[in-house]
Amino acid sequence: MANIVIIGTQWGDEGKGKIVDILAEDANCVVRFQGGNNAGHTIVINGKKIILHHIPSGILHEKIKCIIGNGVVIDPEILINKELKNLEKENFKVSQNNLKISKNAHVIMPYHKLIEEGRENCGKILKVGTTKRGIGPAYEDKISRRGIKVKDLIDEKSFSEKLDEILLEKNCLIKFYGFDTLNKNEILEKYLKYGEILKDFIDDTHKILINEEEKGSNIIFEGAQGTLLDIDHGTYPFVTSSNTVSGNVCAGAGFGIKKIDKIIGIVKAYTTRVGMGPFPTELKCKTGDYLRDKGGEYGSTTGRPRRCGWLDLVALKYSANLNNLTEIALTKLDVLDGLDTVKVCVGYKYKGEVFKYFDNDINFLNNIEPVYKEFKGWKNNYSNINNFEKLQKETKDYIKFIEEELNTPITLISTGPDRKSTIFKN
Ligand code: GDP
Ligand code: IMO
Ligand code: MG
């Protein structure tokens, strides 16, 4: 294998978890480099479904070292009481031998969640439809240098002093949004306990990656969210609060740029989006409902119904360029089975002119009309197919067109949630 980056190319939920889990078979190490528990990555093994939020999707393979990198924001309450407990319940072994957490990752604190809740409840034009997990406020504090790092949870003196200063400001905001103010000692006590539980996992993950690199390990870097949710390159302000593009791997994991061999973009065979913001190919009709029902398009984290629409090649070209994709994994192809026609957006009509470039300006995207190329649908049932030759000509035409338009080979095709439902094309 090699050092591989896995990136969501759309608005998230492309099926990154499934693909990382499959590729992890040949890896030594899987690293998350951004986002937090806004992510919900689903893996299905023999009908058993596991949803991961912070923990890399390599954890179901016993011998793999999983790393939560410095670029991730962590909610210890969810990590300990939900994710780790659930893995234990499902008999997956997690210890300091196979999970490491960067000492420099930032902590999502109770005030982050309240402030976000307050903002989302009051928001009108700036309501984003976030996951309400405190992600944005936690990244704000990181950038304004008022954040609590994971290492602070095991250093009572430093943690206590920081909290005194931080809470002066946060409690004003919390009051402003109509919530009861927070008590410092309660937070200190609770979060020091989390630190005690996590202390054996906390480490210098940059150093671990240097060692892995020296050993010649195969490392997978697992992105969360998707390119169109990137804080800089997405549909701002309807984005998440981190850089989701491949360029952030190095900063978010602490890894050298020249050491990356492949960048695989995960492309869902149609498009979905959760939360507010422009979505040029959205289908507010029966076909959209068909995709939602057949694709089980309900949030893995919040359970919200996902908005559904056709594949958007204008957006995907932008994504392929931004991420420097070397390969594509096409997921959820089976969901398109049974449609009379399958459409793909190849241009945006704006004020009478057709544009082939994705300008991330929301006023532009809200006012364009998609230009579609139509494909004849296919009636075969592709659910769980793992042989490319079993695909109908119409489906192969669809796949070839995507490859040609994006100038990137599709090397893997997914036809169902389970590991087994995968076509390795090349
Ligand atoms: P992620 O956030 O990118 O990891 O994706 P999610 O886990 O949030 O959403 C993808 C959903 O689609 C999950 O429920 C997966 O089990 C499911 N899934 C993944 N690949 C396929 C596929 O090829 N076909 C079908 N039908 N479902 C899939
Ligand atoms: P995975 O990793 C889909 C969306 C939210 C909202 C916006 C900002 O599973 O693909 P945030 O809570 O991040 O501040 O919300 O981003 N969002 C996601 N949508 N998949 C995700 O993660 C997402 N993480 C955040 O719905 O629109
Ligand atoms: Mg998801």
Side-chain angles (χ1 to χ4, degrees), residues 12 17 39 55 59 109 133 142 154 171 174 195 200 344 361 385 405:
I55 299 178
I59 200 75
M109 299 294 290
R133 297 300 191 260
K142 170 177 174 170
I154 48 175
N171 270 333
I174 286 168
D200 292 337
V344 179
D361 184 309
I385 291 280
E405 285 290 297

Side-chain angles (χ1 to χ4, degrees), residues 34-52:
Q34 49 74 229
N37 57 314
N38 45 353
H41 297 174
T42 315
I43 303 167
V44 180
I45 311 168
N46 300 326
K48 194 192 270 183
K49 184 172 174 177
I50 307 282
I51 299 179
L52 297 166

Side-chain angles (χ1 to χ4, degrees), residues 27-180:
N28 305 94
C29 201
V30 182
V31 190
R32 265 283 299 275
F33 59 91
Q34 49 74 229
N37 57 314
N38 45 353
H41 297 174
T42 315
I43 303 167
V44 180
I45 311 168
N46 300 326
K48 194 192 270 183
K49 184 172 174 177
I50 307 282
I51 299 179
L52 297 166
H53 300 287
H54 305 88
I55 299 178
S57 305
I59 200 75
L60 309 188
H61 298 264
E62 228 176 90
K63 288 193 180 130
I64 288 188
K65 192 170 280 169
C66 286
I67 294 178
I68 301 179
N70 58 278
V72 176
V73 286
I74 298 172
D75 186 335
E77 197 161 1
I78 303 295
L79 176 63
I80 295 167
N81 294 334
K82 198 169 167 190
E83 251 177 305
L84 288 171
K85 278 222 171 99
N86 187 42
L87 285 168
E88 193 185 320
K89 195 181 99 207
E90 299 291 351
N91 292 322
F92 291 102
K93 288 197 188 97
V94 184
S95 71
Q96 67 267 40
N97 296 325
N98 64 344
L99 179 66
K100 295 287 182 191
I101 302 173
S102 166
K103 62 187 168 84
N104 286 319
H106 280 247
V107 180
I108 300 173
M109 299 294 290
Y111 42 83
H112 293 138
K113 291 183 258 190
L114 286 177
I115 291 167
E116 182 170 350
E117 170 102 38
R119 286 180 186 155
E120 284 285 289
N121 290 346
C122 303
K124 290 185 185 78
I125 59 160
L126 292 179
K127 181 181 165 73
V128 176
T130 69
T131 58
K132 292 194 181 167
R133 297 300 191 260
I135 305 292
Y139 275 117
E140 273 171 53
D141 277 358
K142 170 177 174 170
I143 300 303
S144 65
R145 294 153 296 177
R146 305 177 65 80
I148 300 293
K149 288 190 174 198
V150 166
K151 65 180 175 187
D152 291 320
L153 301 182
I154 48 175
D155 180 345
E156 182 169 352
K157 185 168 178 291
S158 146
F159 187 23
S160 173
E161 285 169 358
K162 282 187 188 171
L163 265 186
D164 278 330
E165 205 168 315
I166 289 168
L167 277 178
L168 282 177
E169 184 198 47
K170 299 299 179 196
N171 270 333
C172 292
L173 268 173
I174 286 168
K175 226 155 80 187
F176 171 79
Y177 286 118
F179 299 113
D180 291 339

Side-chain angles (χ1 to χ4, degrees), residues 299-311:
S300 311
T301 297
T302 61
R304 291 177 291 174
R306 295 174 183 153
R307 299 157 65 191
C308 298
W310 295 123
L311 192 72

Side-chain angles (χ1 to χ4, degrees), residues 263-283:
I263 303 167
I264 305 181
I266 313 300
V267 175
K268 196 185 285 196
Y270 49 97
T271 314
T272 60
R273 169 163 210 170
V274 201
M276 317 298 185
F279 181 175
T281 60
E282 184 169 13
L283 291 165

